[in-house]
Amino acid sequence: MRYENKVVLVTGGASGIGRAILDGMVREGARVMFTDISNEVGQSLEAELRAGGHDVRFGRADATDPDDATRIVADVVNEWGRLDVAINNVGGPGRGDTSGGPLEDLDPAAWRATFALSSESTFYGMRAQIAQMLAQGSGVIGNTASMAGVRPTLTSSVAYAAAKASVIQLTRYAALMYADRGIRVNAVAPGMTLTPAVEAHLTPEEQKAFVAGIQPMGRMLKPSEIADSFLWLCSDEASGITGITVNVDAGLSAA
Ligand SMILES: NC(=O)c1ccc[n+]([C@@H]2O[C@H](COP(=O)([O-])OP(=O)(O)OC[C@H]3O[C@@H](n4cnc5c(N)ncnc54)[C@H](O)[C@@H]3O)[C@@H](O)[C@H]2O)c1
């Protein structure tokens, strides 16, 4: 129960990696606000978790909207009086940004959409969360990066790789800036992970072929394997760690 009495915010918590983080946090005793743009899924998940006795709230919020990011932090503080841990998990290729493909063909609107979803969302979240954490004198932030931002492969979009690299640098910058003010900031960079987003785009055969080329373990990662790293990094067990990115990549970065 590493999160007993802790107040936690998870963005994009209704599916995939965010959902696994939400599950892990409630399992370990946290009070959790999770956000998503999917109102229906968010509300039914909230009802399910509350029926199970967990202190969970859902807030419909668009992570690409700075006002939503600020409103959600205010809602958390109204509900529980503080914000101990925030996980900025929303990201992905934006509308019109398909995986891979030549840079010279990429529509600037698709680049901007990917940066809004994967980079700006993290900045807007951190901006609001850090203001609250500074007022409290403590807090922990975890950001979902991607192995595409650490070591790009030509199968990922150039905009997505660049946007996720920016998440890693945002993480390091903020870690440095607030290291002596009680705030830790780290990131987790997942390799290819079997989430609804991936299942929607790749058949099981395509998934197999994809990971065979780049993930030495020869398999997709599970959302719970990504969540477990967040649970450790954002807990007191990692109290001496700030500014790092943990690669949960099935061996990709070993080669
Ligand atoms: N799945 C992978 O292989 C993989 C690998 C590396 C990094 N990631 C990163 O992990 C994170 C989660 O991805 P996932 O695979 O779990 O995706 P997912 O689609 O399963 O879940 C994403 C959730 O975010 C919500 N969402 C989308 N846009 C939003 C917005 N603007 N505001 C609020 N919520 C929004 C969706 O409704 C969904 O519930 C992303 O940052 C992604 O880039 C995923």
Side-chain angles (χ1 to χ4, degrees):
M1 296 293 269
R2 288 174 291 185
Y3 288 88
E4 199 150 29
N5 295 321
K6 298 273 189 197
V7 176
V8 176
L9 168 63
V10 182
T11 73
S15 172
I17 291 169
R19 169 76 202 264
I21 297 167
L22 169 63
D23 286 343
M25 288 291 182
V26 299
R27 199 177 56 235
E28 298 224 29
R31 289 171 273 179
V32 189
M33 167 78 82
F34 73 100
T35 68
D36 211 282
I37 38 166
S38 177
N39 209 22
E40 210 174 305
V41 183
Q43 282 180 348
S44 77
L45 187 52
E46 178 193 51
E48 183 188 319
L49 291 166
R50 288 180 69 80
H54 302 294
D55 197 357
V56 170
R57 299 279 183 283
F58 167 66
R60 200 265 171 206
D62 181 347
T64 67
D65 180 340
D67 293 338
D68 274 13
T70 303
R71 172 177 56 81
I72 286 295
V73 170
D75 287 350
V76 171
V77 174
N78 281 339
E79 188 74 32
W80 292 299
R82 60 177 197 274
L83 173 64
D84 297 311
V85 175
I87 298 186
N88 296 297
N89 169 69
V90 168
R95 193 185 298 267
D97 185 10
T98 50
S99 286
L103 184 153
E104 69 272 20
D105 292 341
L106 183 65
D107 181 351
W111 171 279
R112 288 193 293 270
T114 293
F115 262 73
L117 191 61
S118 288
S119 179
E120 288 171 29
S121 64
T122 310
F123 165 61
Y124 298 147
M126 288 172 71
R127 182 174 168 271
Q129 296 147 13
I130 285 170
Q132 173 59 29
M133 290 174 178
L134 283 171
Q136 301 169 175
S138 67
V140 184
I141 291 177
N143 295 324
T144 306
S146 169
M147 282 310 294
V150 178
R151 178 184 294 195
T153 55
L154 296 180
T155 48
S156 108
S157 109
V158 59
Y160 181 68
K164 288 296 191 178
S166 85
V167 170
I168 292 169
Q169 210 65 328
L170 250 173
T171 300
R172 298 174 69 197
Y173 187 97
L176 269 182
M177 181 160 268
Y178 303 109
D180 61 355
R181 283 188 270 175
I183 301 174
R184 297 193 296 113
V185 190
N186 293 296
V188 174
M192 189 63 124
T193 308
L194 193 55
T195 65
V198 170
E199 281 174 300
H201 290 105
L202 298 177
T203 65
E205 280 316 305
E206 286 168 334
Q207 292 166 21
K208 227 175 170 176
F210 192 96
V211 295
I214 57 167
Q215 293 187 177
M217 285 184 184
R219 65 167 177 88
M220 304 280 274
L221 290 148
K222 293 183 282 188
S224 64
E225 292 177 304
I226 313 304
D228 284 344
S229 286
F230 274 113
L231 288 173
W232 167 68
L233 263 181
C234 297
S235 77
D236 292 343
E237 289 176 3
S239 56
I241 298 176
T242 195
I244 70 163
T245 296
V246 173
N247 298 345
V248 184
D249 65 358
L252 189 159
S253 48

